[in-house]
């Protein structure tokens, strides 16, 4: 059963973005692709000619692609090539050079009060902080009007990253002139043009304030670092955006002066494109996260667009002055903020613009919702400069107010977020202990360390080992359910006795010896390791394998021995009562909660048949008859589609199903505290662990794996 479970969960939890087919509705640049930098003559097998243009951040590079005769590929041919690459497992990871667009619809120049600042509670927040002059905020957009009175004293650095001189509209391509030129291009009515979009977005974030003129920014003191990427028709290309993002974070970009001390801690991206986040985009935003840079992006219209849908990016939707989601905004976001109402000047966002240094206009769009959130986060960082994205996002969510039509997300409450940030529980970094009270930092998961304690570890791809260093094992950990954890390799060489998987050196695995009498570190043949010619690669589970003698018996795993569904253990006078809504977790170790048939939600605790059955304590999956060990407790799956009385077979969790308490069948919310009534694909309802308030399991909280599964499969939340 474990193999079936693991294979299914691998597909659910470890979807790989590299090599994904191009988004069908996302505009792209014809004849250009992004490939991993270490590719050598990468596309020879596809009858095309390639020419490297330049290296990009995070191990990617930009290439020009032509057909075999040297003719340029058109858009359709480029898309077909990318589809062929995505379908070929042997091809290098590739991405289109997608086109980004600004996300705003300018209205008119009538002056209106800044209702948005009142809506987010800025006045009360300014009593706590107005920001710090040492803060640097990066804006990836169309540049700025450097002489505008709202920005001239905020502008500390910038660069024009537009590589195409025609798109840049200043005839010189990349250079130090990041001026926001008015978009004079003919856009054929297909897209809104730039119209000082970057100037407006920057003004919302940090316009000069408390100076008796113009408008107020959310942050009064922070300084601006500009990365100009959007030119004609408000459009930008992925390769320029990725260079700009890495540069703002302090990375070196070829041909561009380094930022040095002006590297930013916060980036606003109010441009986007249709489609999913590509592998190249994800790698660069992972790079920002590794540098401690928080990225905020506008969600765009309809469904959330890239880069707002990249992992680690805070996606922002727009609301109007009535507190409701606007008609144009995507809904599946992290937080909502004021973006204005289309076509209504009194409900728009007032921002700097124009050819003069004192021009203003009214704007609407998720671009400006993102700008408000970026400004708000900068004030949170002024209060707690070392706050991570995880803590910031937790504070935004914990303090969010009700937002009509916003789905599961709430609206920005700035002073509430500052208060929440200062009262959140501590966050552990990699290698530090974690538990129900101490959360892990960005990109880390709380898991056992292969020994006796829980620590924050990085996750990895179990099928390839990707995500770990050369000094680490990528090992399946019971509490992670199909996801791997990077654990520091031990010093035990091949042939040495072992107990825990991480004790062995890299290239070996701790498993049974040939006589099945103990455990040894044995040569591995997974994650790129191979066996000597006289040995045979033998699987331990879907992810780990070892080199065995040719005549060595296969390793064995215990089979589940759950009792028959229709034959519950009779109640005896000595039996203790239990709540069906809690199930095995209300009983002693080694017992299950069996329905007594009285339909009162109460059953009785009775011994569970089979060694190491449901509810018994375990050290690894090998201890459990079911092969499922979570946080030291054996769980069990369905037997031929059925479970013992008082339980339902929940087929949503894994192949074959998992038995869960059935107290809420029919829709009645009879689950105990800390559990939730969740619908199943079979049309029933079962009690499942609720994220954020987990009932203790024999003195220990349910593991991260259960929480991840339930968060994915039961508690439908934002992407």
């Amino acid at each position: 059963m474990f193999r079936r479970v693991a294979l299914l969960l691998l597909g659910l939890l470890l979807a790989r973005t590299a090599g994904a087919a191009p988004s069908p509705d996302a505009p792209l640049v014809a004849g250009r692709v992004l490939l991993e930098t270490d590719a050598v003559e990468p596309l020879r097998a596809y009858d095309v000619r390639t020419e490297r243009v330049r290296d990009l951040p995070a191990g990617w590079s930009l290439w020009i692609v032509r057909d075999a005769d040297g003719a340029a590929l058109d858009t359709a041919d480029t898309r077909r090539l990318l589809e062929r690459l995505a379908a070929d497992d042997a091809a290098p990871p590739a991405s289109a050079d997608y086109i980004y667009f600004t996300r705003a619809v300018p209205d008119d120049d009538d002056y209106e009060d800044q209702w948005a600042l009142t809506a987010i509670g800025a006045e009360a927040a300014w009593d706590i902080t107005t920001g710090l002059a040492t803060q640097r905020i990066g804006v990836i957009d169309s540049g700025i009007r450097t002489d505008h009175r709202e920005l001239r004293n905020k502008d500390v650095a910038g660069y024009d990253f537009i590589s195409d001189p025609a798109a840049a509209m200043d005839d010189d391509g990349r250079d130090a002139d990041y001026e926001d030129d008015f978009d004079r291009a003919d856009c054929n009515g297909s897209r809104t043009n730039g119209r000082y979009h970057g100037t407006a977005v920057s003004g919302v974030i940090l316009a000069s304030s408390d100076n008796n003129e113009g408008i107020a920014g959310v942050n009064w003191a922070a300084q601006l670092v500009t990365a100009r990427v959007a030119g004609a028709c408000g459009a930008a290309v992925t390769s320029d955006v990725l260079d700009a993002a890495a540069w703002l974070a302090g990375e070196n970009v070829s041909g561009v002066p380094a930022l040095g001390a002006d590297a930013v801690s916060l980036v606003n991206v109010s441009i986007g494109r249709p489609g999913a986040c590509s592998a190249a985009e994800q790698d660069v935003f992972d790079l920002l996260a590794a540098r401690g840079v928080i990225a905020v992006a506008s969600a765009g219209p309809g469904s959330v667009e890239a880069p707002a849908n990249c992992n680690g990016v805070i996606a922002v939707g727009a609301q109007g002055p009535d507190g409701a989601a606007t008609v144009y905004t995507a809904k599946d976001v992290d937080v909502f903020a004021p973006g204005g109402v289309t076509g209504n000047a009194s409900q728009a966002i007032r921002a700097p613009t124009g050819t003069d240094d004192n021009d203003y206009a009214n704007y609407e769009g998720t671009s400006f919702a993102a700008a408000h959130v970026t400004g708000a986060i900068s004030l949170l960082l002024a209060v707690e400069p070392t706050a991570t994205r995880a803590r910031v996002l937790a504070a935004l969510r914990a303090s969010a107010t009700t937002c009509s039509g916003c789905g599961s997300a709430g609206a920005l409450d700035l002073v509430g977020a500052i208060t929440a940030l200062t009262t959140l529980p501590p966050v552990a970094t990699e290698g530090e202990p974690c538990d129900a009270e101490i959360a892990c930092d960005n990109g880390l998961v709380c898991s056992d360390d292969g020994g006796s304690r829980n620590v924050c570890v990085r996750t990895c791809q179990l099928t390839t080992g990707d995500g770990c260093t050369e000094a680490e094992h990528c090992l399946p950990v019971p509490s992670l359910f199909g996801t791997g954890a990077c654990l520091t390799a031990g010093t035990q060489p091949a042939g040495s006795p072992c107990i825990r998987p991480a004790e062995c050196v890299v290239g070996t695995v701790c498993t049974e010896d040939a006589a099945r009498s103990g455990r040894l570190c044995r040569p591995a043949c997974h994650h790129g390791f191979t066996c000597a010619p006289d040995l045979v690669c033998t699987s331990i589970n879907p992810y780990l394998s070892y080199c065995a003698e040719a005549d060595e018996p296969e390793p064995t795993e215990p089979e589940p021995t759950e009792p028959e569904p229709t034959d519950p253990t009779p109640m005896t006078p000595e039996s203790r009562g239990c709540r069906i809504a809690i199930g095995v977790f209300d009983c002693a170790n080694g017992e299950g909660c069996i329905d007594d048939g009285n339909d009162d939600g109460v059953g009785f605790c009775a011994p569970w048949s089979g060694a190491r059955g449901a509810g018994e304590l375990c050290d690894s999956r090998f201890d459990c008859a079911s092969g499922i060990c979570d946080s030291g407790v054996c769980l069990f799956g369905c037997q031929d589609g059925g479970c013992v009385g008082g339980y339902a077979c929940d087929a949503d969790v894994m192949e074959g199903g998992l038995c869960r308490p059935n107290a809420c069948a029919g829709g009645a919310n009879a689950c105990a505290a800390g559990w939730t009534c969740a619908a199943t694909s079979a049309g029933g309802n079962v009690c499942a662990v609720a994220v954020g308030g987990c009932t203790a399991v024999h003195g220990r909280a349910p593991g991260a794996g259960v929480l991840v599964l339930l968060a994915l499969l039961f508690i439908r939340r934002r992407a």
Side-chain angles (χ1 to χ4, degrees):
M1 175 176 291
F2 177 81
R3 288 189 175 94
R4 297 199 310 269
V5 175
L7 285 171
L8 177 70
L9 297 183
L10 178 65
L12 289 172
L13 300 179
L14 299 180
R16 188 168 181 257
T17 57
S23 301
D25 55 350
L28 53 82
V29 180
R32 298 203 329 201
V33 298
L34 277 61
L35 300 170
E36 288 191 337
T37 302
D38 58 2
V40 178
E41 297 185 4
L43 306 182
R44 175 183 293 179
Y46 295 88
D47 297 324
V48 293
R49 299 182 183 181
T50 56
E51 176 186 346
R52 188 193 297 262
V53 178
R54 68 177 187 271
D55 289 341
L56 299 173
W60 289 78
S61 56
L62 176 64
W63 297 73
I64 292 175
V65 184
R66 299 181 176 88
D67 65 19
D69 297 325
L73 298 186
D74 61 19
T75 300
D77 288 338
T78 304
R79 196 178 295 277
R80 280 191 288 269
L81 173 63
L82 288 163
E83 290 170 350
R84 290 177 62 196
L85 292 172
D88 186 354
D89 293 338
S95 170
D97 200 5
Y98 291 109
I99 301 174
Y100 283 60
F101 294 93
T102 52
R103 295 300 182 209
V105 182
D107 198 346
D108 56 54
D109 294 332
D110 293 339
Y111 178 81
E112 295 292 339
D113 292 336
Q114 290 179 268
W115 59 269
L117 295 177
T118 301
I120 66 174
E123 292 87 349
W126 290 332
D127 289 337
I128 302 172
T129 182
T130 56
L132 302 172
T134 55
Q135 290 180 291
R136 300 292 184 268
I137 300 175
V139 174
I140 300 175
D141 214 291
S142 63
I144 62 168
R145 278 295 311 274
T146 56
D147 63 343
H148 200 288
R149 65 184 183 182
E150 299 290 1
L151 300 176
R152 66 168 68 110
N153 296 323
K154 296 301 194 82
D155 172 32
V156 296
Y159 202 80
D160 182 358
F161 282 87
I162 303 176
S163 53
D164 181 357
M169 299 182 299
D170 56 9
D171 302 322
D172 53 9
R174 285 193 173 184
D175 58 20
D177 178 12
Y178 49 94
E179 191 74 22
D180 188 350
D181 291 316
F182 179 70
D183 188 346
R184 299 175 297 275
D186 180 6
C187 300
N188 298 319
S190 61
R191 288 278 181 174
T192 178
N193 58 24
R195 295 195 183 180
Y196 303 108
H197 187 269
T199 299
V201 166
S202 300
V204 170
I205 298 171
L206 45 60
S208 296
S209 307
D210 198 28
N211 58 358
N212 293 315
E213 61 181 17
I215 65 167
V218 179
N219 189 313
W220 295 5
Q223 301 296 296
L224 174 66
V225 182
T226 301
R228 182 175 186 247
V229 297
C233 300
V237 296
T238 301
S239 49
D240 290 345
V241 173
L242 300 187
D243 274 342
W247 178 75
L248 287 170
E251 289 286 316
N252 291 324
V253 174
S254 179
V256 181
L259 263 181
D262 286 322
V264 307
S265 59
L266 179 62
V267 170
N268 184 92
V269 190
S270 284
I271 58 176
R273 63 166 184 83
C277 180
S278 70
E281 289 164 323
Q282 188 60 65
D283 284 349
V284 170
F285 283 101
D286 286 346
L287 177 65
L288 265 63
R291 280 186 165 267
V293 177
I294 299 174
V296 180
S298 55
S303 58
V304 180
E305 299 182 342
N309 56 21
C310 293
N311 293 334
V313 176
I314 296 177
V316 184
Q319 62 178 158
D322 61 354
T326 62
V327 295
Y328 58 78
T329 186
K331 305 292 175 62
D332 195 19
V333 299
D334 292 306
V335 67
F336 281 80
V341 175
T342 304
N344 190 327
S346 66
Q347 298 182 6
I349 304 299
R350 191 71 171 168
T353 189
T355 56
D356 294 330
D357 65 0
N358 61 352
D359 279 354
Y360 297 85
N362 296 320
Y363 290 83
E364 300 87 19
T366 57
S367 289
F368 302 98
H372 282 103
V373 170
T374 297
I377 292 175
S378 71
L379 294 188
L380 267 64
L381 295 176
V383 173
E384 189 176 311
T386 59
T388 63
R389 173 192 171 275
R391 282 182 61 79
V392 165
L393 187 55
L396 293 176
R397 289 173 172 167
S399 60
T401 59
T402 301
C403 175
S404 175
C406 295
S408 58
L412 173 63
D413 177 356
L414 181 47
V415 72
I418 293 175
T419 302
L421 183 69
T422 60
T423 57
L424 284 172
V427 174
T429 58
E430 185 173 354
E432 294 182 338
C434 53
D435 55 30
E437 300 297 325
I438 302 177
C440 291
D441 203 352
N442 293 343
L444 304 177
V445 177
C446 190
S447 170
D448 68 67
D449 62 353
S452 58
R453 64 175 190 154
N454 286 340
V455 297
C456 294
V457 297
R458 287 174 289 109
T459 58
C460 55
Q461 293 190 359
L462 280 172
T463 53
T464 63
D466 290 348
C468 298
T469 69
E470 294 181 354
E472 294 174 326
H473 291 293
C474 179
L475 295 173
V477 176
S479 63
L480 291 183
F481 267 107
T483 301
C486 295
L487 303 179
T488 302
T491 58
Q492 296 291 92
S496 301
C498 59
I499 299 175
R500 298 289 181 179
E503 293 177 3
C504 302
V505 297
V506 171
T508 65
V509 60
C510 183
T511 188
E512 293 177 299
D513 60 20
R516 302 294 184 262
S517 60
R519 296 171 69 83
L520 295 176
C521 295
R522 306 185 70 176
C525 50
H526 54 259
H527 301 168
F529 297 107
T530 57
C531 296
D534 57 334
L535 299 178
V536 177
C537 187
T538 304
S539 295
I540 301 173
N541 56 48
Y543 320 110
L544 302 182
S545 303
Y546 69 97
C547 300
E549 301 290 340
D551 57 351
E552 188 174 323
E554 290 282 335
T556 58
E557 294 182 32
E559 293 296 326
T561 56
E562 286 86 46
E564 291 294 328
T566 57
D567 186 25
T569 305
M571 178 174 271
T572 65
E574 294 77 20
S575 300
R576 292 179 294 104
C578 56
R579 294 163 292 173
I580 298 297
I582 292 297
V584 297
F585 304 131
D586 228 8
C587 299
N589 181 35
E591 295 180 332
C593 184
I594 309 301
D595 190 359
D596 60 10
N598 293 329
D599 295 327
D600 57 1
V602 177
F604 61 94
C605 296
W608 204 272
S609 65
R612 301 277 184 139
E616 290 194 71
L617 297 182
C618 54
D619 293 317
S620 75
R621 66 183 181 84
F622 299 107
D623 295 331
C624 302
S626 63
I628 306 173
C629 176
D630 179 73
S631 290
V633 178
C634 293
L635 301 181
F636 64 105
C638 308
Q639 186 177 40
D640 297 325
C643 301
V644 296
Y647 291 82
C649 183
D650 181 6
D652 283 349
V653 174
M654 66 185 191
E655 183 180 352
L658 184 70
C659 291
R660 293 198 179 283
N662 192 34
C664 67
N669 192 7
C671 300
W675 294 64
T676 186
C677 190
T680 72
S681 60
N685 293 276
V686 294
C687 294
V689 179
V691 175
C694 304
T695 303
V697 182
H698 294 292
R700 300 176 66 183
V706 167
L707 298 183
V708 170
L709 278 172
L710 294 169
L712 287 172
L713 301 173
F714 295 133
I715 316 301
R716 306 297 185 190
R717 65 169 295 275
R718 301 181 307 278

